[in-house]
Amino acid sequence: MATSCDQLKKIQGHPCFGGNHHKNGRMHLAVAPRCNIKCGYCTRRHDCANESRPGVTSRLITPEEAIIKVREVMASPVVGPIIKVIGIAGPGDPLANEETFETFRLVGEEFPHLMKCMSTNGLLLPDAIDRLHELDLHSLTVTLNALDPAVGARIYGHIGYHGKVFRGVEAAEILVTNQLEGIRRAVGYGMTVKVNTVYIPGVNEEQVPLIGRKIKELGAFVMNIMPLIPQADFAHISPPPPEELDRVRKRNESIIGQFKHCRQCRADAVGLIGRDVTVAEPGTPLPVAV
Ligand code: SF4
Ligand code: SF4
Ligand code: SF4
């Protein structure tokens, strides 16, 4: 397992893992449309709430279009030097889409110096982790909202796993088992792991510190507690007010480092966090100033 000192060196330059996010940017490639679970807060018509702001649908691109887009961005004298990370975060779940692997392969061949990063619901992590390691995945985010399957059953409508549909506690049990196993193996491979937890008032607040302790024990690097965006099955739940979110993050800081500047970016964001320069289609000119 990597020491925290090794990890600190490794994440330098990664804006989502505490690297200077005023200087270092990321480029998301929206190559992953399908998803294999149903989160209660997801409308499925928009970007994955794993890491993406719902309400804005990304234009899907193929792996071939994605590599063209990376070439264009990296060739831009303004944006190119900022980009340190290539991330795949949706709009569905990256691991439910073979395009994710092909895109990382193409990026790795041409731009081996760029960090590869991925965000997933974790269901297929145990199946995919060896391939991700072979592709030199640098950092991984897993969205983990409940350890207790009874709570998970209130959050997830169903999962599709190995050709079958599971619901309720059984579905939540499979999901959390795979998330934890996937995190453990990712850490074992030396990947830097972040865990996102969507804070859903009245549903999973008691799970938050338990998740913090568990992922710390497994070697995760940082936790990102995200406020619920009320929609779909959870449209009636008010999101936590900012002061409450602050309090929860502070309480959990003593357990594991907290990432606090997440902006829930789109699956096709490019540039500095909160100051995206473009969501250009391949072949469209990039802006000349940030
Ligand atoms: Fe929606 Fe993402 Fe959940 Fe899939 S993992 S249901 S795309 S929020
Ligand atoms: Fe990686 Fe997620 Fe940040 Fe994208 S949003 S660069 S996938 S941590
Ligand atoms: Fe970073 Fe959050 Fe944006 Fe991902 S969604 S790039 S974690 S700020």
Side-chain angles (χ1 to χ4, degrees):
M1 191 191 292
T3 65
S4 56
C5 199
D6 293 338
Q7 285 199 324
L8 279 175
K9 267 190 231 145
K10 272 191 76 185
I11 51 89
Q12 270 170 13
H14 196 315
C16 307
F17 284 78
N20 186 341
H21 62 278
H22 299 294
K23 270 196 182 156
N24 304 304
R26 43 78 187 105
M27 174 174 188
H28 278 171
L29 300 170
V31 295
R34 290 170 292 279
C35 190
N36 45 13
I37 72 174
K38 171 70 179 79
C39 303
Y41 46 71
C42 180
T43 62
R44 301 296 290 270
R45 281 176 289 129
H46 305 304
D47 284 342
C48 176
N50 271 336
E51 299 239 42
S52 310
R53 183 176 61 242
V56 191
T57 308
S58 314
R59 176 192 170 296
L60 276 174
I61 53 174
T62 64
E64 294 70 31
E65 287 172 317
I67 192 70
I68 292 171
K69 206 172 148 185
V70 177
R71 274 184 210 132
E72 286 169 358
V73 167
M74 294 314 291
S76 153
V78 178
V79 192
I82 298 170
I83 301 298
K84 303 292 189 295
V85 179
I86 297 293
I88 302 184
D93 187 73
L95 293 181
N97 297 270
E98 198 50 36
E99 290 86 346
T100 296
F101 300 93
E102 177 59 4
T103 305
F104 278 144
R105 190 186 67 74
L106 292 171
V107 170
E109 249 174 35
E110 239 175 275
F111 301 94
H113 65 288
L114 292 175
M115 294 181 230
K116 293 184 221 48
C117 184
M118 195 192 76
S119 167
T120 174
N121 61 39
L123 179 64
L124 290 178
L125 262 184
D127 292 340
I129 196 71
D130 295 337
R131 282 178 87 190
L132 294 170
H133 171 63
E134 278 158 29
L135 287 164
D136 195 27
L137 188 80
H138 171 278
S139 33
L140 176 74
T141 297
V142 182
T143 301
L144 204 176
N145 298 321
L147 292 183
D148 179 350
V151 177
R154 295 176 62 195
I155 301 174
Y156 305 105
H158 65 260
I159 67 166
Y161 183 57
H162 291 178
K164 275 192 172 159
V165 176
F166 298 85
R167 294 178 201 280
V169 171
E170 193 184 9
E173 221 159 45
I174 296 170
L175 181 61
V176 70
T177 302
N178 287 5
Q179 289 168 327
L180 297 178
E181 171 68 4
I183 292 170
R184 190 185 63 74
R185 287 179 53 198
V187 170
Y189 270 135
M191 293 173 196
T192 308
V193 176
K194 165 157 70 71
V195 169
N196 284 354
T197 298
V198 180
Y199 182 74
I200 312 168
V203 177
N204 71 344
E205 56 264 84
E206 284 172 11
Q207 296 289 298
V208 174
L210 305 177
I211 294 171
R213 268 185 220 109
K214 186 71 195 172
I215 60 171
K216 175 75 183 174
E217 181 192 309
L218 292 174
F221 180 69
V222 74
M223 183 178 195
N224 175 16
I225 304 171
M226 308 163 84
L228 171 76
I229 299 173
Q231 56 174 10
D233 304 347
F234 293 142
H236 60 288
I237 297 183
S238 305
E243 317 76 62
E244 189 185 335
L245 198 64
D246 270 359
R247 265 199 306 276
V248 176
R249 285 173 172 163
K250 278 209 184 87
R251 268 205 304 273
N252 282 279
E253 222 154 27
S254 56
I255 304 172
I256 184 166
Q258 301 288 307
F259 174 78
K260 296 177 188 159
H261 58 266
C262 182
R263 299 290 185 89
Q264 295 173 263
C265 311
R266 296 164 53 117
D268 56 1
V270 180
L272 298 176
I273 293 171
R275 287 168 56 201
D276 289 310
V277 290
T278 179
V279 285
E281 310 233 331
T284 348
L286 289 160
V288 287
V290 180

